[in-house]
Amino acid sequence: MQAKRILLVDDEADHCLVYQIILQDAGYECKSYTDSVQALQQFKPNYYDLVILDIKMPRLDGFILCEKIREIDKAVQIIFITAGEAYYENFRKQHYPAISKDVNINGLQKPIGNEELIKIVNKTISTKDTK
């Protein structure tokens, strides 16, 4: 059986490395990028089962990257991962209302434990499999 594919985009290399190891240890195929523009350039439609995006990134923030990914692949599941600042939640609701209404988008707050990350990823991917 083909391992589920996850795209991870976080501008902090240490976060990418840690999350990638956790996800690969859980049996997922994980590709990570610290550059959101490069991640978008390499993105393939209907390839990934899940995309995990940091919100606060240089060049393309997670919200803009999400919109660009949605233009390429409307069905992929997306999880935002952030330090949980209330500012970003309000910003998203005000400036990106379509993201707020997208049922294929979830959010996680940093720091997140290994088990919690895998639990949310498993749940999100299993939801995709039943659609």
Side-chain angles (χ1 to χ4, degrees):
M1 184 170 133
Q2 170 71 40
K4 300 291 184 181
R5 296 183 187 114
I6 297 175
L7 172 65
L8 170 66
V9 187
D10 191 318
D11 62 314
E12 295 190 38
D14 56 338
H15 289 165
C16 278
L17 181 62
V18 169
Y19 295 147
Q20 186 168 359
I21 290 169
I22 293 166
L23 293 166
Q24 288 173 339
D25 284 350
Y28 293 104
E29 184 181 315
C30 184
K31 176 75 175 164
S32 66
Y33 291 91
T34 56
D35 182 328
S36 54
V37 173
Q38 185 182 21
L40 180 61
Q41 290 169 340
Q42 299 296 318
F43 185 80
K44 299 178 233 172
N46 305 311
Y47 182 79
Y48 293 102
D49 297 285
L50 176 65
V51 177
I52 300 175
L53 301 175
D54 185 21
I55 293 175
K56 191 175 180 181
M57 295 185 287
R59 299 177 72 188
L60 285 180
D61 70 35
F63 297 132
I64 295 171
L65 183 55
C66 176
E67 288 184 332
K68 301 279 187 196
I69 286 172
R70 277 285 176 254
E71 291 171 9
I72 300 168
D73 187 338
K74 300 216 182 306
V76 69
Q77 299 282 93
I78 296 174
I79 294 176
F80 284 115
I81 191 161
T82 183
E85 299 161 25
Y87 167 81
Y88 289 105
E89 182 67 18
N90 293 331
F91 185 84
R92 175 181 60 86
K93 287 178 181 173
Q94 183 178 0
H95 297 285
Y96 299 93
I99 290 173
S100 297
K101 295 176 184 140
D102 191 329
V103 297
N104 291 325
I105 296 178
N106 294 301
L108 290 174
Q109 190 170 345
K110 292 178 188 175
I112 184 164
N114 300 1
E115 294 83 18
E116 182 69 11
L117 175 63
I118 296 304
K119 180 178 161 188
I120 297 294
V121 166
N122 288 343
K123 182 179 179 187
T124 303
I125 286 181
S126 69
T127 301
K128 179 182 188 268
D129 290 341
T130 59
K131 288 183 180 180

